[in-house]
Amino acid sequence: VQLQASGGGLVQPGGSLRLSCAASGETVNYLAVAWFRQVPGKEREAVSYKDAGGNIYYRQAVKGRFTISKDNAKNMVYLQMNSLTSEDTAVYYCAARRDNVVASAWHDPRQYIFWGQGTQVTVSS
């Protein structure tokens, strides 16, 4: 499975961005997919997750602002990010695995086998 993330950029506080992750080698409908982000000098942190069973999780800091979705026809995964703040500035990565992740471990990057390259999101005025 190969993943390619895109859609990052510079946005003002309060603005929106939609990140995209193009998958090949497997249908996203059958994958457990996640978005992670990382700031230099800090650990990679999980942002959101969606699996083949429809389970969806978000880290607390993005609940109500971010939405993860899949487009099975286009074999894409999206992360819609609204009401962005400077705290959301990071490199964002999409990740996946073929089996669902147990709820208690969705945030653990070691659970994911496939990773895309990062896309930079900068929230600044």
Side-chain angles (χ1 to χ4, degrees):
V1 177
Q2 292 187 324
L3 305 172
Q4 184 167 359
S6 62
L10 173 64
V11 62
Q12 292 187 340
S16 299
L17 275 178
R18 188 179 77 161
L19 303 183
S20 301
C21 178
S24 60
E26 182 60 271
T27 304
V28 296
N29 190 41
Y30 301 132
L31 293 173
V33 296
W35 286 95
F36 285 77
R37 64 187 182 187
Q38 188 168 25
V39 174
K42 293 189 176 181
E43 291 186 355
R44 191 167 296 190
E45 63 182 26
V47 176
S48 185
Y49 166 93
K50 183 173 185 177
D51 65 26
N55 297 302
I56 295 176
Y57 308 119
Y58 296 98
R59 70 179 298 108
Q60 186 64 38
V62 308
K63 282 183 179 178
R65 300 189 298 121
F66 290 12
T67 303
I68 190 171
S69 63
K70 295 180 181 178
D71 185 327
N72 297 329
K74 296 181 178 179
N75 221 33
M76 299 284 290
V77 182
Y78 300 106
L79 184 69
Q80 177 67 43
M81 305 186 297
N82 299 327
S83 302
L84 286 161
T85 76
S86 59
E87 298 295 311
D88 299 314
T89 294
V91 177
Y92 284 70
Y93 300 87
C94 55
R97 56 180 279 163
R98 285 194 168 90
D99 300 324
N100 293 348
V101 181
V102 296
S104 60
W106 76 271
H107 59 280
D108 185 351
R110 296 171 297 179
Q111 298 294 323
Y112 300 88
I113 309 301
F114 310 108
W115 289 84
Q117 88 293 357
T119 184
Q120 175 71 48
V121 172
T122 303
V123 184
S124 175
S125 56

